[in-house]
Amino acid sequence: MISLNKPSLFKNSNFYAGEWRTFSKTIPVFDPSNGEKIGEIPDLPREEVRKALEFAAKAQKEWAKTIPKQRARFLRNWADLMILHKEDLAKIMTLEQGKPLAESRGEIDYAASYLEWFSEEAKRAYGDLIPTHRKEVRLMAWKEPVGVAGILTPWNFPSSMITRKIGPALAAGCVVVSKPSELTPYSAIALAVLAEEAGIPAGVFQVVTGQPEPIAEEFLENKIVRKISFTGSTRVGKILLERSAKQVKRVSLELGGNAPFIVFADANIKEAIRGAIASKFRNAGQTCVCTNRFLVEEKIAEEFAHGLSEEVSRFKVGNGFVEGVNIGPLIHSAAIKKVDAHVKDALDKGGKLLVGGKPHSLGGNFFEPTVITNVSERSQCFQEETFGPLAPIRSFKTEEEALTIANSSDVGLASYLYTSDPARIWRVSEALEAGMVSVNEGILSTEQVPFGGVKESGLGREGSKYGIEEYQEIKYVCWGGQN
Ligand code: SIN
């Protein structure tokens, strides 16, 4: 186990219905780097989730009455506490998720930045005074909170995917019941410890852990929940969307991607390789915005593939706590099986292996960072997200061909483009069917920008000045008798 400066951040209990609670039924949680059990968390049935929602409904009334500046102060205190306890929070994250400690530290900064950003946005939720259509009436529109939000978050970013939702929710005046992934619940529980310490009233941020189905069922069927926000697979997102229709709940979805990374011959190849590494191998390839398909102009395809392979062959794979490790374990054995299957399929369909290609000799959930060139478009790794450290490369001859392949997907989250031609930057950025385009840069995420996708990659945007709108209703007021 790990040693923490503030051991109380690591808890096997949940914070809901006004107190820290354990439950008779539990779920074991494992360290993905060695399979050792790190603790057991409550496996809550629907009745317990209902208690949290009923408590949330009461908290909602009070929280909605707070003035934005108060909410801003709470959020800012919370962000500051995250930074104060960054090292402990990062250790908890590496323990349960596996990512290298340096990446966990980065994620804590990233997660806190959403609380900080929305503490500022809370104060800027302006309405409108609308030019009237009749002398005796005045027209206005203002923003109100949607109400209680049920949020469901994934294991790949156990802290930032939560704060990216609760920041805007709390800023808008909504309260949140949060269900973290049962694979990585401790980062969420630690956030609840700090929320309490930041003075955030009980009921404003509650954490409930357990199997996804009963918790999601309660969120979907209980009328207290007016908003569902989910980050995860497109398959589950579609179910949530369909089921939310019954009560016309507001829904935000941040779903899967299949990001193309297009490199034109006029690009700075060294920079493109640097960007490729950042975009593909962050969190061992387990991010929704990770490059999934490399498309490289034929003239430079070999140079790019060999340059990338050379860098990848230098990666150090291992336990995220070990100094110098830059690729941690995958989350579980099913993830290893998927990457392995994608590699075999790409090779069967004519791909040429340049580096890696199999489960790592460390065993368990470790996979060798892999580069395959000459990959067919029909390969599984070009059709769906691999969510692992596999970089498949295919060459193209024309801009049109690159765009056709890039857009031949049902999803459209992130996309990447490397070129030195300004006209092409405009043209290709406009033509790419994606919510986000990163030009000559491998990392696009930050709290100031609208994060989200088009097509089956989701609905709504998180972060930025737009993120708060997902948690706001607009109320129009017509005021007569103004002679
Ligand atoms: C994700 O994988 O869904 C989030 C990645 C990010 O915020 O950069």
Side-chain angles (χ1 to χ4, degrees):
M1 276 295 276
I2 46 170
S3 82
L4 300 175
N5 291 322
K6 184 176 168 70
S8 63
L9 284 171
F10 189 91
K11 281 194 195 306
N12 284 300
S13 47
N14 282 180
F15 189 53
Y16 67 96
E19 56 193 354
W20 285 96
R21 292 164 182 260
T22 52
F23 193 69
S24 51
K25 198 165 168 234
T26 56
I27 304 180
V29 182
F30 301 99
D31 175 346
S33 73
N34 54 24
E36 280 171 19
K37 191 167 98 175
I38 57 179
E40 298 209 17
I41 46 144
D43 183 7
L44 296 185
R46 285 184 64 171
E47 305 79 74
E48 291 300 302
V49 181
R50 199 166 304 140
K51 278 186 200 161
L53 293 178
E54 282 161 6
F55 197 73
K58 288 191 200 118
Q60 177 62 58
K61 287 203 173 81
E62 296 310 310
W63 187 247
K65 283 186 214 153
T66 55
I67 57 166
K69 201 166 172 169
Q70 279 175 295
R71 300 200 289 270
R73 175 50 53 202
F74 283 126
L75 283 168
R76 184 60 200 239
N77 288 348
W78 198 2
D80 290 348
L81 284 170
M82 286 188 73
I83 297 303
L84 185 68
H85 298 290
K86 177 158 101 177
E87 199 57 23
D88 280 353
L89 295 173
K91 284 183 185 169
I92 292 171
M93 188 180 295
T94 293
L95 180 70
E96 65 179 357
Q97 204 276 338
K99 64 179 71 176
L101 197 53
E103 281 194 40
S104 293
R105 290 187 189 113
E107 186 181 336
I108 299 304
D109 283 334
Y110 181 45
S113 75
Y114 283 107
L115 299 183
E116 185 192 77
W117 173 265
F118 284 106
S119 75
E120 291 150 1
E121 290 301 290
K123 295 178 277 184
R124 296 185 186 116
Y126 299 106
D128 296 307
L129 200 52
I130 300 166
T132 190
H133 61 316
R134 277 170 29 213
K135 265 192 190 151
E136 68 283 15
V137 297
R138 295 292 177 271
L139 311 173
M140 61 196 116
W142 65 62
K143 309 282 174 63
E144 290 185 354
V146 171
V148 174
I151 70 167
L152 302 133
T153 52
W155 48 264
N156 60 342
F157 288 88
S159 202
S160 56
M161 294 305 98
I162 300 179
T163 57
R164 192 150 86 183
K165 297 181 191 309
I166 52 183
L170 268 55
C174 300
V175 307
V176 170
V177 180
S178 164
K179 186 240 167 267
S181 165
E182 63 285 8
L183 302 174
T184 56
Y186 291 107
S187 295
I189 293 169
L191 280 178
V193 173
L194 296 180
E196 208 183 359
E197 213 167 298
I200 294 178
V204 171
F205 175 60
Q206 303 182 77
V207 175
V208 290
T209 59
Q211 296 298 345
E213 289 79 11
I215 300 179
E217 281 294 327
E218 191 57 33
F219 282 2
L220 288 163
E221 288 187 8
N222 195 318
K223 288 193 172 168
I224 289 172
V225 175
R226 291 308 313 145
K227 164 88 195 182
I228 299 268
S229 181
F230 170 72
T231 295
S233 72
T234 297
R235 185 188 68 79
V236 173
K238 285 180 182 176
I239 298 170
L240 293 172
L241 184 59
E242 200 176 326
R243 296 279 312 275
S244 295
K246 205 166 157 206
Q247 292 175 10
V248 195
K249 293 182 198 283
R250 287 275 294 272
V251 181
S252 299
L253 301 172
E254 200 264 273
L255 309 176
N258 184 358
F261 187 108
I262 309 173
V263 190
F264 288 95
D266 59 16
N268 177 328
I269 298 186
K270 267 200 185 134
E271 278 302 304
I273 291 172
R274 204 178 56 83
I277 301 247
S279 134
K280 175 68 245 184
F281 292 99
R282 173 178 171 228
N283 199 13
Q286 303 173 108
T287 88
C288 302
V289 289
C290 266
T291 295
N292 206 53
R293 301 170 288 163
F294 284 96
L295 300 169
V296 186
E297 193 166 344
E298 203 169 59
K299 284 181 233 167
I300 54 151
E302 204 170 312
E303 185 183 350
F304 177 86
H306 283 99
L308 180 63
S309 306
E310 216 174 288
E311 293 294 325
V312 169
S313 63
R314 283 199 273 270
F315 282 166
K316 188 167 167 190
V317 178
N319 185 311
F321 283 106
V322 174
E323 191 62 40
V325 160
N326 35 29
I327 300 282
L330 300 193
I331 192 71
H332 44 36
S333 57
I336 292 283
K337 273 198 196 119
K338 184 173 185 189
V339 182
D340 203 27
H342 277 198
V343 168
K344 288 191 174 119
D345 173 73
L347 297 178
D348 283 351
K349 293 193 171 112
K352 190 170 153 229
L353 184 67
L354 295 184
V355 61
K358 57 184 186 311
H360 199 276
S361 56
L362 285 169
N365 295 333
F366 293 98
F367 201 94
E368 291 177 350
T370 299
V371 180
I372 304 180
T373 188
N374 200 33
V375 171
S376 155
E377 255 175 273
R378 289 177 300 108
S379 301
Q380 279 172 356
C381 63
F382 257 56
Q383 304 290 329
E384 56 177 274
E385 258 181 327
T386 301
F387 236 62
L390 163 62
I393 304 172
R394 182 210 190 280
S395 63
F396 66 85
K397 284 197 176 75
T398 63
E399 183 178 304
E400 200 189 346
E401 186 192 359
L403 277 168
T404 305
I405 301 170
N407 289 338
S408 67
S409 173
D410 289 335
V411 292
L413 189 60
S415 52
Y416 302 84
L417 159 67
Y418 275 75
T419 175
S420 57
D421 176 350
R424 176 175 271 153
I425 291 173
W426 279 114
R427 212 167 45 235
V428 176
S429 298
E430 283 175 3
L432 279 166
E433 294 170 7
M436 300 176 279
V437 181
S438 191
V439 182
N440 296 333
E441 177 56 51
I443 296 285
L444 49 67
S445 306
T446 166
E447 77 277 16
Q448 296 97 321
V449 302
F451 189 106
V454 299
K455 301 203 271 191
E456 294 185 16
S457 282
L459 286 179
R461 292 294 179 270
E462 296 189 314
S464 79
K465 67 175 180 176
Y466 305 107
I468 197 166
E469 293 171 3
E470 304 289 319
Y471 298 87
Q472 291 170 325
E473 294 287 7
I474 298 175
K475 182 170 279 174
Y476 154 53
V477 178
C478 174
W479 186 355
Q482 308 278 334
N483 290 323

